Structures are given as C-alpha cells and as structure tokens.
Amino acid sequence: METPFRFLFLLLFSLLPSALSQFNISGVLIDCGVNTSYTDNQGLRWLPDSQFITSGVSKNVSTPGLFTTFSTLRSFPYNATRPRKFCYTLSSYRDLNSSRVKRYLIRTSYFFDGPGLPPVFDLIVDGNLWTMVNTTADYLAGSASYYEVVFPARGKTINVCLAGNPNYTKGDPFISSLEFIMLDDSVYNATDFGKKAMGLIARSKFGASGETERYPNDRYNRYWQPFPDQIHAKTSTHNITSSAFWNLPPLDVFNTAIVADKGNPLAFQWPQQVSLQRSTYYVALYFADTLPKSSRNLSVYINGYQFYDGAVTSDGVVVFSPEWILSGLTTLTLAPGSNLNLPPLINAGEVFGLLDLQNLTITRDGMDFFSVMIGWCGIKLYGRL
C-alpha cells in the first residue's frame, strides 16, 4: 500500500526563558499606490511602491473603514493582443560564505472595489509562474485576499511580477501591497530551497476566534488564521515561553486548542473548503498540553494515515513532514492514546504546497513553476493596520 509520506520528524522542546517580545522585520513592506512612507500602529514601516516599479497607475479605494494598506492600489494596463508583465524589483541578500540559500516570505495582498468583478491574472517570480490570482470569492464576501510563498534568493534581486493572461484576464491587473521578509535559517529548514519553494495553503490557530495572529507576536508577520470551534475550543492555563521551535511560531498559538471529548476521537476538515491537487506537501502540526506540568498521549491521522502517535507535553511538541502526499479534501483526526484520562488536542498547523523550482533565468517568462495552484486566502479588511 502506498503511504502518503516520505519523511516524518518529531521535535520536543524544553521551556527556555525568552525575553523576545518585539522583533524587527528584515525586509521591505510596500504599500502599493501610496504617496509617502508611514508607520502603522503595529510599528511596521511601509514604503511607497514608486521606489520599486515605474509603470502602472496609483488609485484610491473608495470603500470606507479599510486597513491603510487597502486604501490605495496600483493597476496596470492590460492589452489582450500584446500581454505584458509588470515587475517589482526587490534587493535580496545572499551570504557568499555560506552554502545555505536565504529564503524570503513573499506576500501579495489585494482589495478590489469595482466596478464589476476583479480581474484574474498571473503572478510570476523570477521568470517562473507563481499562481493565478483570483480574488472574486473574497470580493463577493467583502474581504481582501492574499497569496504567500516562501521563495529562495538566487541572485542579488528577486522580481515579483503581475501579468495578464489572454485565457482568462478581462481587466487591468492590480495589487494593494507587497511584503518581502527574510526568514531565519532555521525556519522551514527541512526544505531544500535550492530546488523547491513553498506555497502557503493554510496556517491556522486552532480553537481561536477573533483577529488573525500576526506581528508583533509573529516576528515575520505571518498570518495565523483563527480556526474556531464552539464545542471543542479550550484555552491554556499556562504560558509557553520557549523560542526554540525551529519554525519560530508565535507563542500565543499555544494559548488556544481544539480538544476532543474524553475517550472519543475528533475528526474535522483542514484546510477548510480546499480541495488539493494530488501532490506533495509540507505539513507541520503544533501541540502543547493545556495543563501546566502535564502530558497526554494521542494519535493524529491525516486522511486515515497515521501522522503521529506519542506524547504531548506542556513544554511543547512539533510534528512535521517535509514531504506528505495529499489529495482532495483533507481530514485531520485526533484519537485518544493510552492515557484515556486526558483527551487529544491540537494547537496550530501549517500546510504548504511543495513546488519544484526550474532552472530558468529572469528573462524567461510564462513557464509552469508550481505544480500546485495555490488557493487564495481571505482576511478581514476593516480597521487600521
């Protein structure tokens, strides 16, 4: 029988004191279409995009009450007979004394306020097709959209480009913001970034409701979307202060959990409402016992295949596979272990599409880069960032 995994790793960490509560982001945050730089109420510095691109038109968004980054956008003219790409050029860092390739979190965000429906177009990174941008569903729900990839720096610059596609583009491509953040070497270090990139499918904080977890709790401004469950959500009675997890998740993701009923398994769909193309994915699941100085045993299954069987402690456990085969809708099942006094639980999770990099130059556009089309992610957009 075929198994859905190639490698599986378990990381257990002891509590280590940490004084890290505020971090400086290494990279650039670009508010597209804005005229001047500014600092938001999270302490993040946003730059106007005129420093990074010379084409396109700045436009104001008329919808009231938006996050600052969605109050303007830049649009680019689309000509079906002569399609063009429009590129942001970003300076990257590469340590010539090290063989390790620096990797960057790249996030593009969008909010369209009409008229009509938002255009559908392509995103290209360094001459490779990233994904198709289709924000229609979020637009109809009154939300913004974002797409995120972890991409290696293979030169002095990285180009992030928008391009119309005559197969489906009907209007001018546009963008609201662009984030370009260098990650520490430990983050997602099981992936060979000389050969692959990682396209985000879902990043969830289980048992949470309300606002998205982000900077300053997450030093890279990653978005941890709440995954509420009114029946099984629990809060932690202690604080984890360890910063030793390789992927450096924000510690607040361990303050909520989904906990099964005592003696019974709990199954739920994750990622929600996303049917995945059969391919290889990176999956990381995060656990911490909600009781201080406690532990419990559990088993975790993904689509019926055992992903983990062992203990969860209050110190924290991370279980991840850099290569796990998924297809269609995905079901995560938490099953009781040998200690039936404490039911199974889960705090957070991430899943990425693993994407083969082609040996292409920046000038060679339009070739398939991702073997998986990365789905859009919606985010609430009212208020001020």
Side-chain angles (χ1 to χ4, degrees), residues 85 94 117 258 285 289 312 367:
K85 68 170 185 172
R94 187 160 188 176
L117 295 176
I258 289 178
L285 303 179
D289 200 298
V312 168
M367 298 183 68

PDB file of all heavy atoms in Angstrom, residues 85 94 117 258 285 289 312 367:
ATOM      1  N   LYS A  85       4.163  41.893 -18.732  1.00  0.00           N
ATOM      2  CA  LYS A  85       4.300  41.707 -17.293  1.00  0.00           C
ATOM      3  C   LYS A  85       4.807  43.015 -16.683  1.00  0.00           C
ATOM      4  O   LYS A  85       5.496  43.808 -17.321  1.00  0.00           O
ATOM      5  CB  LYS A  85       5.260  40.568 -16.962  1.00  0.00           C
ATOM      6  CG  LYS A  85       6.708  40.824 -17.318  1.00  0.00           C
ATOM      7  CD  LYS A  85       7.613  39.756 -16.745  1.00  0.00           C
ATOM      8  CE  LYS A  85       9.084  40.099 -17.009  1.00  0.00           C
ATOM      9  NZ  LYS A  85       9.999  39.198 -16.321  1.00  0.00           N
ATOM     10  N   ARG A  94      22.377  37.481  -0.049  1.00  0.00           N
ATOM     11  CA  ARG A  94      22.908  36.130  -0.170  1.00  0.00           C
ATOM     12  C   ARG A  94      24.291  36.092   0.453  1.00  0.00           C
ATOM     13  O   ARG A  94      25.162  36.902   0.105  1.00  0.00           O
ATOM     14  CB  ARG A  94      22.977  35.694  -1.631  1.00  0.00           C
ATOM     15  CG  ARG A  94      23.379  34.217  -1.775  1.00  0.00           C
ATOM     16  CD  ARG A  94      22.994  33.664  -3.116  1.00  0.00           C
ATOM     17  NE  ARG A  94      23.207  32.221  -3.168  1.00  0.00           N
ATOM     18  CZ  ARG A  94      22.881  31.466  -4.199  1.00  0.00           C
ATOM     19  NH1 ARG A  94      22.308  32.003  -5.248  1.00  0.00           N
ATOM     20  NH2 ARG A  94      23.096  30.162  -4.179  1.00  0.00           N
ATOM     21  N   LEU A 117     -16.473  42.811 -11.517  1.00  0.00           N
ATOM     22  CA  LEU A 117     -15.743  41.818 -10.736  1.00  0.00           C
ATOM     23  C   LEU A 117     -14.246  42.032 -10.902  1.00  0.00           C
ATOM     24  O   LEU A 117     -13.791  42.568 -11.915  1.00  0.00           O
ATOM     25  CB  LEU A 117     -16.124  40.406 -11.188  1.00  0.00           C
ATOM     26  CG  LEU A 117     -17.575  39.992 -10.944  1.00  0.00           C
ATOM     27  CD1 LEU A 117     -17.828  38.604 -11.520  1.00  0.00           C
ATOM     28  CD2 LEU A 117     -17.921  40.033  -9.455  1.00  0.00           C
ATOM     29  N   ILE A 258      -7.969  22.975  20.159  1.00  0.00           N
ATOM     30  CA  ILE A 258      -9.161  22.154  19.976  1.00  0.00           C
ATOM     31  C   ILE A 258      -8.911  20.853  20.726  1.00  0.00           C
ATOM     32  O   ILE A 258      -7.906  20.174  20.496  1.00  0.00           O
ATOM     33  CB  ILE A 258      -9.435  21.894  18.491  1.00  0.00           C
ATOM     34  CG1 ILE A 258      -9.914  23.174  17.805  1.00  0.00           C
ATOM     35  CG2 ILE A 258     -10.469  20.791  18.315  1.00  0.00           C
ATOM     36  CD1 ILE A 258     -10.163  23.010  16.325  1.00  0.00           C
ATOM     37  N   LEU A 285       2.454  20.371  12.473  1.00  0.00           N
ATOM     38  CA  LEU A 285       1.416  20.468  13.494  1.00  0.00           C
ATOM     39  C   LEU A 285       2.063  20.775  14.840  1.00  0.00           C
ATOM     40  O   LEU A 285       3.100  20.200  15.183  1.00  0.00           O
ATOM     41  CB  LEU A 285       0.608  19.171  13.573  1.00  0.00           C
ATOM     42  CG  LEU A 285      -0.066  18.713  12.273  1.00  0.00           C
ATOM     43  CD1 LEU A 285      -0.800  17.398  12.497  1.00  0.00           C
ATOM     44  CD2 LEU A 285      -1.014  19.776  11.740  1.00  0.00           C
ATOM     45  N   ASP A 289       0.334  20.687  25.861  1.00  0.00           N
ATOM     46  CA  ASP A 289      -0.706  20.349  26.821  1.00  0.00           C
ATOM     47  C   ASP A 289      -1.252  21.624  27.452  1.00  0.00           C
ATOM     48  O   ASP A 289      -0.500  22.535  27.799  1.00  0.00           O
ATOM     49  CB  ASP A 289      -0.147  19.421  27.907  1.00  0.00           C
ATOM     50  CG  ASP A 289      -1.248  18.652  28.623  1.00  0.00           C
ATOM     51  OD1 ASP A 289      -2.102  19.306  29.254  1.00  0.00           O
ATOM     52  OD2 ASP A 289      -1.259  17.414  28.547  1.00  0.00           O
ATOM     53  N   VAL A 312       2.226  14.367  24.145  1.00  0.00           N
ATOM     54  CA  VAL A 312       2.192  15.820  24.071  1.00  0.00           C
ATOM     55  C   VAL A 312       2.426  16.350  25.471  1.00  0.00           C
ATOM     56  O   VAL A 312       1.747  15.936  26.415  1.00  0.00           O
ATOM     57  CB  VAL A 312       0.845  16.329  23.528  1.00  0.00           C
ATOM     58  CG1 VAL A 312       0.710  17.831  23.727  1.00  0.00           C
ATOM     59  CG2 VAL A 312       0.700  15.979  22.061  1.00  0.00           C
ATOM     60  N   MET A 367       6.598  30.060 -17.996  1.00  0.00           N
ATOM     61  CA  MET A 367       6.703  28.611 -17.904  1.00  0.00           C
ATOM     62  C   MET A 367       6.142  28.146 -16.574  1.00  0.00           C
ATOM     63  O   MET A 367       6.173  28.854 -15.578  1.00  0.00           O
ATOM     64  CB  MET A 367       8.163  28.175 -18.046  1.00  0.00           C
ATOM     65  CG  MET A 367       8.760  28.543 -19.409  1.00  0.00           C
ATOM     66  SD  MET A 367      10.441  27.937 -19.589  1.00  0.00           S
ATOM     67  CE  MET A 367      10.148  26.175 -19.640  1.00  0.00           C
TER      68      MET A 367
END
